[in-house]
Amino acid sequence: MTMKIMPLVLGAAVALAATAANAGTLDDVKAKGFVQCGVSQGLPGFSNPDDQGNWTGLDVDYCRALAAAIFNDPSKVKFSPLSAKERFTALQSGEIDVLPRNTTWTMSRDTALGLNFVGVNYYDGQGFMVRKSLGVASALELSGANVCTNTGTTTELNVADYFRSKDMPYQIVAFEKADEVVQAYDAGRCDVYTTDASGLYAQRLKLTNPDEHMVLPEIISKEPLGPVVRQGDDEWFNLAKWVHFAAINAEELGVTSANVDEMKNSETPSVKRLLGTEGEYGKAIGLSNDWAYNVIKHVGNYGEMFERNVGPSTQLGIARGLNALWSKGGLQYAPPVR
Amino acid sequence: MAVEDARPERATDRASWINDPKVRGAFYQILLVLALAWLIWEIIDNTRTNLEQRNMATGWGFLDETAGFGIILNLIQYSEISNYGRALFVGFLNTLLVAGIGVFLATVIGFIVGIARLSKNWVISRIAYVYIEVLRNIPLLLQIFFWYFAVLRAVPGKREMGTIVPGVHLNIAGLRAPAPVFEEGSTPTVIALILAIVISFVIKGWSAKRQAATGQRFPVLWTAIGLIVVLPLIVFLATGMPISISYPEFRDTGPMLMRGFQEGTGFVLIPEFLSLLLALSLYTATFIAEIVRAGILAVSHGQTEASYALGLRPGSTLRLVIIPQAMRVIIPPLTSQYLNLTKNSSLAVAIAYPDLVSVGGTVLNQTGQAIEIIAIWMLVYLSISLLTSAFMNWYNKRMALVER
């Protein structure tokens, strides 16, 4: 029942929320002592609770980095698991402070929905998963397929665009929760399961026989995933952006959670500026000067987050690919701290 | 004038107007209205300010924008290039479809089970009792999941026929049956069918009147069946058999993906619809059964005895004496069960049945216009409920005991 009621409650919250709650998110966060972070309801590698209710994942690490920057304590985060449908309303109504929930950056979301995208913490694209026994080698052979997906996502639109442009008939079966999509696909209701490629690898682990399924080579869309904040609070927007950039800059400069204390003595100007031993960059975003040091010390740089959550050594085993640094042939690039 | 003067003067002098109950009553009522008006104005104003501050789009213009997503079940023409308004209408029709058929099924099952519960046959009444107690005590959402996920895994896969009787097949992609295809020139046959049904009703009315006047009976049932079968059949043959039957076509050669039943052949009910319909009607039927039982028990036993004494058989007693009186007790609570079923159909979103809430949710997510969508949801469910209520109240008035 919760899923039925949530949008209503949130809608009412939008209507009633005091006008003052709009600005000053940082002050609110400091006053209440934690960051309220909207995440998925369970997507391994991005935001997933374990048996004890501890959240892990790339998106979760971003929340922890924010908390580390503000409070010097990565545990000062509370998580709100949200369905794809609820997520934006929750952010708009002030229910949560930031939304890192493998959310695709699109124009309409960035504008008409009153949201701001902080950056891209994972470059993704939509893919298809099928049973190997179907004998399909390419998405172009999927004419007439039953396709399972999540409702209220860009994937639902991409798949419609793809099949329409290729003039292939298809039937969409769209569920509210990712778990139900997996169950229905596993039961054989659908021939194809479509979502972001990273999600396919993650959800495949939940299937009865993961080895009987394969991800097709085609990537049919651009899905830049990143954290989102509300429009109208530039201070909070800046802070959220620079916590993200700090993690990428740290990787580029070779600063890791292991060597950050040594690096504090570094003579390299860019490292000094990042770690706050030179300049007053923390003040400009309303934090102490060692904000980035705290992020790297407690959570690590972007590369470390990636390796820990989705990298080749994890169950997901995703290569860096597009998510490598720009200097290593990828797309991850952050403006300099100066 | 003389009358007014006769009023004792101290009545107005005794207390000031502050203590006048009429003035006080009016004062508090005005206060309440003002407070309510202020609250409503505050909500509207606050919402508008908040939306503006957050640069969120508002208004109803989005209904004309292209939807861009597909819907698995559409009763009217719909494709990805249709607009949001049409998508919502498709969802609305799907809600009506499952609620309408669900109400019918739940009523039929509920009446049968309710009567069975009172049966003198121990086995039948126990079976009805167990059915009621088990199904009404399990949350509806769990039952929907059961019918969808548990039963779905048990039926044959998409590439197997799963024949139940020749021509009718059930597999994971849905229930398939032969479908009539109305070709050109089929209109007279359809008109003949409708005409036959209308005539049957007229005969029924005439026969009831005649029986009341003269006591003579007329075989209405047989006449009606004869009419409804024979009249359209004659027209059908005379116009050159313009209606054909499309059988579900099954293919088990060629590429794996192309095997199974072919789209566009036969008649298909998708599993999402079947599960939701079964869950809703079986669940609501348990409540209706109890209502029917209560209604029948409310009719005093003397009525049954009197009816037996007149020589009526048990079936006729139930149909002609007990049920008409029981209906007066049954109809009001039955109305609320119908409303419940309709509102519960919004649980469809859990199993991918594209009802109004499910489609509306997608539209909400694509456009971000939460307030408009939620307003549409509330308005639609409120209207359906009020219309159902109005109809049932009218029916209740018709059935109610006319006191003279």
Side-chain angles (χ1 to χ4, degrees):
Chain A
M1 290 300 277
T2 42
M3 64 185 150
K4 238 182 67 188
I5 291 164
M6 269 310 266
L8 280 176
V9 175
L10 296 176
V14 171
L16 287 168
T19 41
N22 197 24
T25 309
L26 179 58
D27 296 333
D28 287 352
V29 167
K30 279 180 175 166
K32 66 184 172 186
F34 59 88
V35 180
Q36 189 76 44
C37 205
V39 290
S40 79
Q41 290 159 318
L43 181 64
F46 289 84
S47 43
N48 201 33
D50 65 9
D51 303 342
Q52 278 91 46
N54 300 317
W55 288 83
T56 56
L58 195 62
D59 286 336
V60 166
D61 277 351
Y62 174 76
C63 299
R64 298 206 188 283
L66 261 183
I70 300 169
F71 300 111
N72 187 19
D73 181 355
S75 67
K76 292 197 166 162
V77 190
K78 288 193 180 169
F79 296 99
S80 304
L82 298 167
S83 78
K85 203 164 101 181
E86 295 157 357
R87 55 185 163 179
F88 300 124
T89 324
L91 182 64
Q92 288 158 344
S93 64
E95 199 98 329
I96 54 174
D97 302 312
V98 59
L99 177 76
R101 192 205 169 280
N102 50 294
T103 299
T104 306
W105 187 346
T106 67
M107 182 166 171
S108 64
R109 288 172 178 177
D110 206 3
T111 55
L113 258 61
L115 307 174
N116 272 332
F117 280 79
V118 165
V120 178
N121 71 346
Y122 190 94
Y123 286 97
D124 210 342
Q126 186 175 339
F128 296 108
M129 179 158 65
V130 295
R131 284 184 171 68
K132 285 179 182 162
S133 63
L134 271 185
V136 171
S138 152
L140 293 167
E141 298 166 34
L142 291 178
S143 182
N146 272 13
V147 183
C148 276
T149 192
N150 260 55
T151 173
T153 57
T154 47
T155 55
E156 207 179 347
L157 300 180
N158 291 334
V159 77
D161 284 354
Y162 183 78
F163 278 83
R164 232 168 78 203
S165 64
K166 300 278 183 286
D167 204 19
M168 303 192 293
Y170 75 105
Q171 273 194 314
I172 191 99
V173 187
F175 294 83
E176 166 96 5
K177 287 173 111 180
D179 278 344
E180 282 143 17
V181 189
V182 177
Q183 268 194 57
Y185 171 73
D186 206 17
R189 172 71 181 97
C190 296
D191 305 307
V192 183
Y193 176 15
T194 184
T195 187
D196 296 344
S198 62
L200 289 179
Y201 287 106
Q203 302 291 18
R204 188 165 70 162
L205 302 173
K206 294 184 185 167
L207 297 172
T208 325
N209 291 311
D211 293 338
E212 288 176 6
H213 305 267
M214 59 183 264
V215 176
L216 295 176
E218 282 88 352
I219 294 293
I220 63 164
S221 69
K222 289 191 287 187
E223 305 287 339
L225 311 181
V228 196
V229 295
R230 279 182 293 278
Q231 274 182 20
D233 185 353
D234 289 350
E235 186 191 28
W236 182 246
F237 181 34
N238 284 341
L239 191 158
K241 261 193 301 200
W242 282 96
V243 166
H244 170 64
F245 290 149
I248 296 172
N249 277 325
E251 187 186 5
E252 200 181 326
L253 297 172
V255 185
T256 66
S257 55
N259 70 8
V260 67
D261 286 312
E262 295 165 37
M263 287 300 231
K264 249 192 155 170
N265 307 321
S266 161
E267 286 305 317
T268 319
S270 51
V271 174
K272 289 181 85 165
R273 284 194 296 268
L274 177 69
L275 298 182
T277 47
E278 191 182 302
E280 291 281 322
Y281 296 99
K283 203 183 270 174
I285 52 172
L287 299 178
S288 64
N289 225 17
D290 57 355
W291 62 283
Y293 167 84
N294 292 336
V295 169
I296 299 156
K297 177 77 186 162
H298 293 299
V299 189
N301 65 32
Y302 178 76
E304 287 177 85
M305 297 183 203
F306 192 96
E307 289 305 319
R308 180 164 61 226
N309 294 306
V310 294
S313 61
T314 64
Q315 259 189 315
L316 268 75
I318 302 174
R320 280 298 283 272
L322 288 178
N323 292 295
L325 288 179
W326 64 284
S327 50
K328 292 180 183 154
L331 292 176
Q332 289 294 356
Y333 184 102
V337 179
R338 72 177 308 129
Chain B
M1 283 310 247
V3 180
E4 266 178 39
D5 288 342
R7 246 215 212 125
E9 255 183 29
R10 58 187 164 86
T12 45
D13 290 342
R14 189 183 52 186
S16 74
W17 59 272
I18 291 178
N19 288 329
D20 186 336
K22 264 192 190 159
V23 174
R24 284 197 157 193
F27 174 73
Y28 286 122
Q29 283 186 39
I30 290 169
L31 204 67
L32 184 70
V33 169
L34 283 180
L36 265 178
W38 174 80
L39 188 73
I40 291 168
W41 184 83
E42 188 72 356
I43 289 174
I44 293 172
D45 182 61
N46 219 346
T47 309
R48 207 185 293 144
T49 321
N50 280 347
L51 289 175
E52 260 169 35
Q53 234 171 43
R54 279 158 213 184
N55 301 321
M56 284 163 69
T58 49
W60 299 96
F62 73 97
L63 289 175
D64 287 329
E65 287 165 27
T66 306
F69 59 88
I71 299 178
I72 189 170
L73 177 69
N74 37 319
L75 299 177
I76 53 169
Q77 186 62 41
Y78 173 85
S79 73
E80 287 84 356
I81 50 171
S82 305
N83 60 27
Y84 285 126
R86 200 167 181 85
L88 287 169
F89 192 64
V90 168
F92 168 66
L93 289 180
N94 288 343
T95 293
L96 284 189
L97 179 74
V98 77
I101 301 180
V103 160
F104 173 75
L105 266 186
T107 312
V108 172
I109 301 172
F111 267 77
I112 293 173
V113 175
I115 291 168
R117 179 90 169 72
L118 292 168
S119 166
K120 288 205 179 65
N121 184 319
W122 188 83
V123 179
I124 290 180
S125 77
R126 281 293 107 172
I127 289 175
Y129 172 71
V130 170
Y131 160 72
I132 291 171
E133 289 306 323
V134 171
L135 265 79
R136 78 166 173 179
N137 287 314
I138 296 175
L140 180 57
L141 187 60
L142 284 185
Q143 293 193 34
I144 293 177
F145 280 143
F146 170 79
W147 287 109
Y148 191 62
F149 287 114
V151 175
L152 204 62
R153 277 176 194 262
V155 303
K158 207 182 158 191
R159 327 259 171 239
E160 292 161 58
M161 287 184 87
T163 308
I164 303 173
V165 291
V168 180
H169 314 273
L170 176 71
N171 70 15
I172 202 160
L175 181 75
R176 278 163 202 273
V181 179
F182 296 94
E183 289 153 23
E184 215 173 315
S186 59
T187 333
T189 313
V190 178
I191 292 174
L193 181 69
I194 297 170
L195 205 65
I197 295 172
V198 172
I199 295 174
S200 302
F201 272 101
V202 173
I203 291 179
K204 188 180 165 227
W206 165 79
S207 121
K209 240 181 229 162
R210 194 178 73 148
Q211 196 181 352
T214 66
Q216 280 176 300
R217 295 181 71 176
F218 186 80
V220 177
L221 186 67
W222 292 111
T223 318
I225 292 174
L227 255 178
I228 290 169
V229 172
V230 174
L231 191 63
L233 195 67
I234 291 171
V235 178
F236 174 66
L237 291 173
T239 52
M241 301 198 279
I243 300 172
S244 63
I245 290 176
S246 149
Y247 289 97
E249 187 193 329
F250 187 83
R251 200 186 291 171
D252 58 357
T253 53
M256 220 33 184
L257 203 62
M258 290 295 172
R259 295 187 197 178
F261 286 102
Q262 303 300 304
E263 287 309 320
T265 64
F267 175 74
V268 59
L269 288 175
I270 55 170
E272 290 76 24
F273 173 77
L274 286 175
S275 319
L276 184 66
L277 181 68
L278 271 176
L280 281 176
S281 40
L282 288 177
Y283 176 75
T284 314
T286 61
F287 293 93
I288 295 181
E290 288 294 274
I291 292 169
V292 168
R293 186 169 73 103
I296 291 175
L297 288 177
V299 179
S300 89
H301 193 58
Q303 297 282 334
T304 314
E305 286 169 345
S307 159
Y308 286 167
L310 286 172
L312 287 180
R313 279 168 297 190
S316 305
T317 304
L318 193 68
R319 199 161 49 83
L320 299 172
V321 178
I322 309 297
I323 298 281
Q325 295 186 67
M327 282 312 272
R328 291 170 193 145
V329 181
I330 291 173
I331 290 169
L334 197 60
T335 311
S336 46
Q337 290 307 324
Y338 288 173
L339 299 181
N340 275 348
L341 190 145
T342 311
K343 287 178 284 181
N344 285 340
S345 73
S346 60
L347 289 171
V349 70
I351 56 161
Y353 178 73
D355 79 326
L356 181 69
V357 173
S358 166
V359 175
T362 306
V363 177
L364 190 160
N365 206 270
Q366 311 296 3
T367 62
Q369 302 200 286
I371 293 172
E372 288 84 352
I373 300 288
I374 289 168
I376 291 177
W377 279 341
M378 296 203 291
L379 206 67
V380 166
Y381 281 100
L382 187 67
S383 314
I384 297 178
S385 296
L386 288 179
L387 283 176
T388 313
S389 273
F391 173 77
M392 291 303 280
N393 285 344
W394 166 80
Y395 186 59
N396 190 34
K397 230 171 237 163
R398 231 182 67 118
M399 294 300 284
L401 198 62
V402 181
E403 294 185 15
R404 292 188 177 91

